[in-house]
Amino acid sequence: MSTEPRGKRPGRPSIGSGNEPSGRRPQKMTTGRFGLYAFLVITAAFFLTPLYVMLATSLKSMPEIREGNLLSWPIAPTVAAWVKAWSTACTGLNCTGLQVGFMNSVRILVPSVLLSISVGAVTGYTLSFWRPRGAEILFGALMMVAFVPYQVFIYPLVRIFSYAGLNNSLAGIVVVHTIFGLPTMTLIFRNHFAALPNELFRAARVDGAGFWRIFGQIMLPMAVPIIVVAMILQVTGIWNDFIFGLVFAGRENLPMTVQLNNIVNSTQGEREYNVDMAATMLTALVPLAVYFFSGRWFVRGIAAGAVKG
Amino acid sequence: MKSSHINAQIALLPAILIALVVYCGTTGWTIWISFTNSRMLPSSVMVGWRNYLSLIGNERWVVSVTNLFVFGALFISAALVLGFLLAAMIDRHVRAESLFRSVFLYPFSMSFIVTGLAWRWLLDPTLGIEKLAHAIGFSWFHFDWLVRPDRVIYTLVLAAVWHAAGLVMAILLAGLRGIDGEIWKAARVDGLPVWRTYISVILPMLTGSFATATLLLATSVVRLYDLSVAMTNGGPGVASEVPAKFVMDHLFERANVGLATAAASTMLVTIVAVAAPWLYYQQRGRRT
Amino acid sequence: MPARSDVSIRGVEISYGPVRVLERLDLEIAQSEFLVLLGPSGCGKSTLLNAIAGLTDVDDGQIWIGGTNVTWHEPKDRGIAMVFQSYALYPRMTVRGNMSFGLRVAGAPKADIERRVREAAEMLRITDLLERKPSELSGGQRQRVAIGRALVRDAGVFLLDEPLSNLDAQLRAELRVEIKRLHQRLGATMIYVTHDQIEALTLADRIAVMKDRRIQQLGSPDDVYLRPANKFVATFVGSPAMGFLLGKLGTDPSAPMFEAPGVKVPLTGYAFAERPVAGQGVELGIRPEHVLHGDGDIAADVEMVEPMGSDKLAWLRIGEQPLSIRLPAETPVARGDRLHLKLPAHRLNLFDAASGQRL
Ligand SMILES: Nc1ncnc2c1ncn2[C@@H]1O[C@H](COP(=O)(O)OP(=O)(O)O)[C@@H](O)[C@H]1O
Ligand SMILES: [Mg+2]
C-alpha cells in the first residue's frame, strides 16, 4: 500500500526532500477495523431482531403470520391487534384488555416511586451525615438483602399483611415496593451524600440548621441529579415487576406485566400471536420510553445502583 | 443527647423497622416454618428435617437446582464475554457510538416477562425461526430447543444474555473510560498490539467493574423466576424449572408451605455462604 | 458580640475508634487573641477546631467559651463562626442566601438580616457578588464569601480551618492581610488552623505548634521562631530550614563549649534553660541567616549555591556535617570556595540529642 503524503498544499514549499510522511495521517480501513464494525453491526442486528419481530408480528393479520415469514414486514400493516390488545383482549372470561392493567400499574407506580425514594433519601442522608449508633449494622443488613431471593420473605409477609389488612390492596403493594426498594435507594443516596464534602454539613450545623432543615434546604437541592437517577431506576423497576404484583396486589390491582402474562396464556380460543405481540409491546412501552428519553441518565442509574458497598 | 441526634434516630425508624421486621423477622419465620409440617395452612407441629429430606428426594427440586447452576454458569460467562467484547469495541472510537450503545442496552430496560414472551415467539417451533429458515430454503434446519427437555434451558440463557449483555457493556465501558489515557500511550510506546493491551493491561484493571457486573448478574440468576414463567412456564414437563419458581408454586398452587419454605431456606443459606465473605471483604477493603 | 469571648480547653481527649487523636489537651485563648494552630497535616488541628465548634464530641475534658461550659452545647449556641478550607458554600443558594442562612434559621428580623449582610459584604468588598451562585465565583471570591458568612453571624469567636490553603500564592498573601485587618477591626477571638508556617508567623499573636496528639510549643511568633522548644518545632518552622550540627558539650563547666569534629563554639551568652551536663550529647541548631562568615574559625566548604532572589543560600560542609548560610545576593561565592564561619552564641539553639528538648 503506498502512502502518498497528504496535507501538503500546492504552492507551499515542502518540508524535507520528498516522500517521507508529513501532515495528517491518511485514514485507512484496515481489516481489523472492518472486522470490528462487522461484529458490531451483526450483534446490533441480533439485538434488534426481537423488537423488530414483535413490532412486525403485531402489525400483521393472523393468516399472514401463518403463511408469511417471521422477518417480513407486514404486507398490509394493521393496528387491529393493538386495539384489541388494549381494549378487548381476554384473560379467562374477562375481556377488558390491557388498559386495566395499565391503569393498575400507574396507580401502583406513582405512590410506590414517591414513597420508596423518600424513605431511601432520608435513610441515606441519615446514614452518611449523622451516623447514629448501629448505622453500620443497619447498612450492612440492607446490603445483604439486596442479594437475598425474595422467596425467603414472601410467605411470612403475606401472613403479616393479611393480619394487618394490607393483603391484596394497593397500599399493600406500595409498601412492598418500598420495602424492597429500600436497599438500592438507600445505597445510591448514601453514596451520593457521602461524596459531598463533610464541611458543608458542618457549615450548616454552625449556622444552626437542624436535622430536617439540613436535609430539606441544603442536601435535597444538591441531590436533584440522584433523585432523577432514582426515579429512573424505580419507574422501570416497579413497572417491570411481576412477582410482587402477582402476590400482593390482589385481583383488583394486577399490574400490567401480570395481566400480560395472563392474556398470553389465556387458553380461550385460538392463539392470536399478533395480539400477544401487541400486548407485549404495549407493556414494554413505558420502560422503553423512559430508556430512550433518559439517555445517559439510564446508564448513570445502572452505575449508581451497581456500586454496592 | 442533642435533639438533632434524636431526630436522626427517628428518621431511621422506617429502615430499622423494615430491617428488623421484614428482613430478620420474616427470614426467621420462614426458617421456622420449614421445620413444621405446614401444608396449606400453617402448623406448629415440628417435624425436624423432614421437609429438607423430601426436598432432596424431590425430582423437580433437583432439576431446578441443576438448571440454576447450568443457567448461572452459562449466562454469567456469556454475558461477561459478550459485554466485554461490545465495550472494548465501542471504546475503539467507533462511529455512531451512542447508537450502538442504545441498541445493546435497550433490552435491559424491559421486563423479564416481555423478554420471555418475545423470545418464546421467536423460538416458536412451528412459526418461529425454524419456519423462517425453511422459507428461505434451509429445509434441513431444525430448531425446536424450546420444546426439547434437554435443550430448553439454553433458550433461557439466550434470552437472558440478550437482556443483560448491554448492562455488562455499560458497566465495563464506564470502567474503560475511567482508565488513564496515558496507559494506552505507554502500551503503544512499548509496542504492544491493541488486543494484547486489552488482555494483559486493561483486563486486570477492570476487575472492579467485572466484580460489579458479576454481582448484578448473579443476583438476577438467584431471582430467576419471571423469565421461566413467561418463556416456558417451567416446561416442557419440569425441564426449565428453577428454584424460585419451585418455591412460588409450592407456596401458592401446590399448598405445601413446609416444603416451599425449606426450599427458600436452602436458597438463603447458599446465598449467605457465598455473599457474607464477599461483603466482609468489601467492608474491610473500604476501611483500609 | 457577647461580652466575653475567651476560649478555654481543659483536658480534652478525642479518639476515632482505637486511634487517639488528641491527648489531655489544655489551651487558654484570651479575649481578642489571634491564636494559630500550626502543625503538619494529620496532627489533629481540625479535630480540635471541630471540637471547639461542637462538631466533634469530646471523649473527655471540657470546652469553655466566654466563661460558659459549652462542652455539650449545639454548635449554633456557642457564639462561634467558622470558615472552612473547602469554603463549604451551599451550592444551590446565592451569595446572599449563603450569608444570611444562619440568621434566617435563627429567625432574625428581615431588616436586621439585610443590614448585616450588607455590612459584611461591604467590609469584604463583595457587594457586587451578592446575587451570584458560588459556582460563578473565583476561588478568592468564594473564600471571601465564606468569611462573609462567618462575619454575619456576629460571633465572638472565629474558627478558621486552613481558609487559604486552596488559593494560589498571590491571593493567599492578599487575603492574609485582609484577615489580619478584620481581626483588628472586629476585636474578636480568632483560632486559625494552618500547616503553613509563614501564615502562622505573620498572623498570630500566639502560635500553638501541634504534633503527635499534643501541643509542642505555645508562644509568640518570636518565641517559636527564635527559641523553639524542641527539635521538631525548630525544623517545622522557618524556611529555609534551620541547620543542625551534632556534637557534645565540653567538659569545662565554667566555660561551656559545643564540640564537634572541626567545630568548637563557645556558649558563653547562651541562655540555658537548665544546667547543662558536661559531655552531654547535643544538637546545635542555627538558622541560615544567623550564620556569620569572614573572620570565624570554623572552616566550611561551599558545596552548592542556591539563588533565592533577594539573597542566596549556600550549602556548606563542615567536616562531615552539612550546614547552610544565607548570604546577600551579591556575595561572590561559588562551589569549592572555603568560608570561615562564626556561630554567635545568642543565636544558637541547643537540643538534647536524645530527647530533642531545648537545653
Ligand atoms: N472521622 C474520622 N474518622 C477516623 N479518623 C479520623 C477522622 N477524622 C480525622 N481522623 C484522623 O485523625 C487525625 C487528625 O485529623 P485532623 O484533625 O483532620 O488533622 P489535621 O487537620 O491536623 O490535618 C488524622 O490522623 C486523621 O486520619
Ligand atoms: Mg485539617
Side-chain angles (χ1 to χ4, degrees):
Chain A
M1 205 182 301
S2 87
T3 46
E4 180 65 21
R6 286 201 315 176
K8 279 191 287 181
R9 298 227 175 79
R12 215 174 85 188
S14 66
I15 310 155
S17 53
N19 261 343
E20 74 271 24
S22 72
R24 198 158 167 256
R25 179 190 290 274
Q27 284 279 328
K28 50 183 180 177
M29 191 76 174
T30 61
T31 36
R33 212 79 198 137
F34 181 80
L36 185 147
Y37 276 106
F39 182 87
L40 283 177
V41 168
I42 290 168
T43 316
F46 164 73
F47 272 80
L48 282 172
T49 304
L51 191 63
Y52 168 80
V53 169
M54 272 195 283
L55 183 64
T57 308
S58 72
L59 296 173
K60 287 175 184 171
S61 63
M62 271 314 285
E64 195 185 343
I65 290 174
R66 257 179 252 110
E67 281 140 36
N69 87 41
L70 198 63
L71 287 180
S72 64
W73 188 247
I75 300 159
T78 160
V79 292
W82 285 69
V83 174
K84 180 163 184 198
W86 178 252
S87 51
T88 61
C90 303
T91 43
L93 296 173
N94 190 355
C95 294
T96 45
L98 257 185
Q99 53 178 325
V100 183
F102 178 85
M103 285 318 297
N104 287 343
S105 276
V106 172
R107 287 191 304 140
I108 294 170
L109 186 73
V110 174
S112 301
V113 168
L114 293 180
L115 192 62
S116 61
I117 292 180
S118 311
V119 177
V122 170
T123 310
Y125 158 74
T126 312
L127 290 180
S128 0
F129 290 115
W130 295 88
R131 301 192 195 127
R133 229 175 294 138
E136 294 269 312
I137 297 172
L138 180 64
F139 188 68
L142 291 183
M143 287 310 97
M144 196 76 207
V145 169
F147 310 109
V148 173
Y150 298 131
Q151 284 70 26
V152 176
F153 312 116
I154 277 184
Y155 182 72
L157 216 49
V158 168
R159 299 285 311 284
I160 294 173
F161 273 33
S162 67
Y163 187 76
L166 285 171
N167 222 8
N168 298 339
S169 70
L170 197 60
I173 180 79
V174 169
V175 170
V176 167
H177 280 306
T178 306
I179 289 173
F180 292 103
L182 186 62
T184 309
M185 291 299 104
T186 302
L187 177 78
I188 66 171
F189 278 100
R190 190 200 78 128
N191 285 355
H192 178 80
F193 288 132
L196 295 179
N198 207 274
E199 291 193 339
L200 209 58
F201 171 71
R202 297 187 160 157
R205 298 249 344 251
V206 171
D207 271 338
F211 183 88
W212 292 109
R213 193 191 289 270
I214 296 178
F215 179 65
Q217 286 185 294
I218 310 288
M219 297 305 165
L220 218 48
M222 294 178 70
V224 173
I226 208 72
I227 293 174
V228 174
V229 164
M231 300 251 306
I232 290 169
L233 279 175
Q234 288 302 79
V235 168
T236 48
I238 293 171
W239 191 273
N240 287 341
D241 159 68
F242 176 75
I243 191 167
F244 294 135
L246 184 67
V247 175
F248 292 98
R251 212 174 268 279
E252 298 303 303
N253 307 305
L254 286 183
M256 204 172 184
T257 46
V258 177
Q259 214 199 354
L260 166 70
N261 195 51
N262 290 346
I263 286 177
V264 172
N265 288 316
S266 184
T267 44
Q268 301 287 317
E270 184 204 24
R271 284 201 62 179
E272 294 177 291
Y273 295 107
N274 50 359
V275 177
D276 290 354
M277 284 303 111
T280 310
M281 290 284 302
L282 278 168
T283 310
L285 233 41
V286 167
L288 277 179
V290 170
Y291 174 67
F292 282 108
F293 286 118
S294 63
R296 294 212 165 217
W297 288 87
F298 188 86
V299 179
R300 271 188 75 172
I302 290 176
V307 275
K308 307 255 181 200
Chain B
M1 193 96 204
K2 299 177 191 170
S3 66
S4 314
H5 288 272
I6 295 169
N7 272 325
Q9 305 274 6
I10 294 172
L12 279 190
L13 223 53
I16 292 170
L17 263 177
I18 289 174
L20 283 182
V21 175
V22 181
Y23 301 154
C24 300
T26 61
T27 307
W29 196 348
T30 295
I31 294 173
W32 182 75
I33 298 174
S34 72
F35 291 104
T36 68
N37 71 344
S38 305
R39 304 288 295 182
M40 186 159 114
L41 293 173
S43 136
S44 52
V45 179
M46 305 301 285
V47 293
W49 295 95
R50 204 178 73 194
N51 287 321
Y52 291 88
L53 290 177
S54 44
L55 197 61
I56 297 171
N58 186 314
E59 197 207 333
R60 185 171 160 189
W61 173 250
V62 175
V63 172
S64 301
V65 172
T66 316
N67 275 343
L68 191 72
F69 280 104
V70 172
F71 174 89
L74 291 177
F75 162 66
I76 291 177
S77 35
L80 287 180
V81 169
L82 182 57
F84 176 67
L85 284 176
L86 293 175
M89 290 190 177
I90 283 180
D91 196 41
R92 299 305 303 162
H93 308 286
V94 295
R95 281 158 200 271
E97 176 194 315
S98 71
L99 180 69
F100 279 120
R101 260 191 300 129
S102 304
V103 167
F104 296 139
L105 188 55
Y106 88 90
F108 188 70
S109 72
M110 302 196 293
S111 63
F112 279 120
I113 295 292
V114 166
T115 303
L117 293 177
W119 281 95
R120 171 166 144 191
W121 168 236
L122 272 166
L123 302 179
D124 188 288
T126 50
L127 296 171
I129 44 177
E130 183 175 319
K131 179 160 175 284
L132 173 69
H134 292 179
I136 53 177
F138 300 107
S139 53
W140 46 267
F141 184 84
H142 210 59
F143 193 81
D144 57 355
W145 285 16
L146 197 62
V147 293
R148 273 180 64 177
D150 57 335
R151 294 288 158 81
V152 64
I153 195 69
Y154 305 121
T155 64
L156 291 190
V157 172
L158 177 66
V161 169
W162 176 78
H163 184 256
L167 167 75
V168 179
M169 174 205 71
I171 292 170
L172 293 184
L173 199 52
L176 282 171
R177 295 279 148 94
I179 287 177
D180 188 351
E182 305 213 323
I183 295 279
W184 278 104
K185 291 183 191 160
R188 256 182 89 173
V189 172
D190 283 341
L192 277 167
V194 170
W195 65 269
R196 194 56 213 277
T197 311
Y198 271 109
I199 303 285
S200 341
V201 181
I202 303 297
L203 214 49
M205 294 179 78
L206 288 178
T207 34
S209 305
F210 269 105
T212 303
T214 309
L215 193 72
L216 288 180
L217 297 178
T219 310
S220 71
V221 169
V222 176
R223 293 191 172 155
L224 181 65
Y225 171 68
D226 328 12
L227 187 64
S228 168
V229 168
M231 216 164 144
T232 60
N233 204 18
V238 295
S240 59
E241 289 290 344
V242 286
K245 188 161 175 298
F246 181 94
V247 176
M248 295 298 285
D249 289 355
H250 283 82
L251 277 182
F252 298 109
E253 277 160 33
R254 301 182 159 219
N256 192 341
V257 172
L259 191 65
T261 49
S265 307
T266 308
M267 291 174 76
L268 175 70
V269 170
T270 317
I271 302 293
V272 170
V274 177
W278 187 86
L279 267 181
Y280 178 74
Y281 180 78
Q282 274 258 316
Q283 289 276 333
R284 268 192 20 170
R286 192 139 39 89
R287 216 162 280 148
T288 51
Chain C
M1 196 192 302
R4 281 178 66 187
S5 56
D6 52 323
V7 177
S8 163
I9 293 151
R10 305 180 182 171
V12 161
E13 298 211 347
I14 293 175
S15 311
Y16 292 112
V19 185
R20 171 146 319 166
V21 180
L22 296 179
E23 198 165 272
R24 298 212 60 77
L25 192 133
D26 294 296
L27 185 59
E28 297 287 331
I29 301 143
Q31 171 97 32
S32 303
E33 181 172 3
F34 199 120
L35 181 100
V36 172
L37 294 172
L38 174 68
S41 107
C43 71
K45 309 178 298 287
S46 300
T47 305
L48 178 57
L49 208 65
N50 285 327
I52 298 172
L55 294 166
T56 300
D57 287 346
V58 300
D59 295 330
D60 198 4
Q62 295 177 341
I63 292 166
W64 292 65
I65 296 177
T68 316
N69 181 350
V70 297
T71 312
W72 297 108
H73 285 198
E74 283 280 337
K76 68 174 158 62
D77 303 326
R78 296 187 177 209
I80 51 121
M82 195 157 176
V83 180
F84 297 90
Q85 175 175 6
S86 66
Y87 321 134
L89 298 178
Y90 312 126
R92 297 302 159 102
M93 295 183 191
T94 59
V95 169
R96 184 188 296 282
N98 266 281
M99 289 173 66
S100 62
F101 184 65
L103 294 177
R104 283 183 287 140
V105 170
K110 259 211 162 67
D112 218 22
I113 298 179
E114 171 64 29
R115 179 181 54 77
R116 273 154 75 174
V117 169
R118 180 161 38 77
E119 283 174 6
E122 277 165 12
M123 220 183 283
L124 290 160
R125 298 190 295 274
I126 51 174
T127 313
D128 304 344
L129 310 177
L130 280 176
E131 306 312 324
R132 293 212 203 155
K133 290 275 178 65
S135 58
E136 298 159 354
L137 305 178
S138 70
Q141 291 171 329
R142 279 179 214 189
Q143 194 51 286
R144 274 171 201 274
V145 174
I147 296 172
R149 181 172 64 182
L151 281 185
V152 167
R153 287 183 63 77
D154 208 9
V157 180
F158 280 75
L159 308 173
L160 302 99
D161 192 353
E162 312 216 12
L164 306 184
S165 61
N166 280 351
L167 302 175
D168 61 44
Q170 198 173 347
L171 266 174
R172 210 180 305 168
E174 201 175 291
L175 271 159
R176 210 162 61 205
V177 176
E178 191 110 8
I179 288 174
K180 183 119 195 169
R181 233 189 22 231
L182 275 176
H183 175 244
Q184 284 161 358
R185 178 160 168 188
L186 298 172
T189 308
M190 290 199 172
I191 306 178
Y192 185 107
V193 164
T194 182
H195 64 259
D196 178 344
Q197 39 112 15
I198 306 273
E199 265 173 36
L201 293 171
T202 49
L203 285 172
D205 293 330
R206 279 194 308 161
I207 299 175
V209 185
M210 289 180 66
K211 193 201 173 215
D212 292 342
R213 310 188 282 279
R214 303 206 162 74
I215 293 177
Q216 304 284 332
Q217 183 171 7
L218 178 63
S220 69
D222 273 357
D223 280 339
V224 169
Y225 189 77
L226 296 174
R227 288 171 294 279
N230 55 39
K231 200 183 164 200
F232 166 75
V233 176
T235 328
F236 190 74
V237 177
S239 168
M242 186 181 280
F244 292 95
L245 295 172
L246 197 58
K248 58 183 196 301
L249 289 183
T251 44
D252 181 359
S254 62
M257 185 74 89
F258 172 84
E259 296 173 1
V263 187
K264 260 189 179 2
V265 186
L267 296 174
T268 328
Y270 180 81
F272 278 101
E274 47 192 297
R275 185 180 277 290
V277 182
Q280 183 181 4
V282 293
E283 274 194 82
L284 175 152
I286 184 160
R287 298 206 177 274
E289 66 267 33
H290 294 153
V291 179
L292 304 178
H293 78 107
D295 58 347
D297 48 11
I298 302 168
D301 296 322
V302 177
E303 292 214 312
M304 190 180 79
V305 178
E306 195 182 344
M308 300 198 311
S310 57
D311 29 34
K312 58 174 68 166
L313 195 67
W315 293 86
L316 314 171
R317 188 161 286 274
I318 304 168
E320 286 301 302
Q321 306 201 61
L323 194 74
S324 54
I325 179 172
R326 198 164 181 160
L327 299 162
E330 61 281 2
T331 319
V333 285
R335 184 189 152 88
D337 289 355
R338 170 157 287 201
L339 300 181
H340 297 279
L341 306 182
K342 191 165 161 186
L343 308 181
H346 69 285
R347 294 299 201 186
L348 297 182
N349 300 279
L350 290 175
F351 303 102
D352 184 304
S355 70
Q357 292 302 313
R358 184 183 187 84
L359 293 176

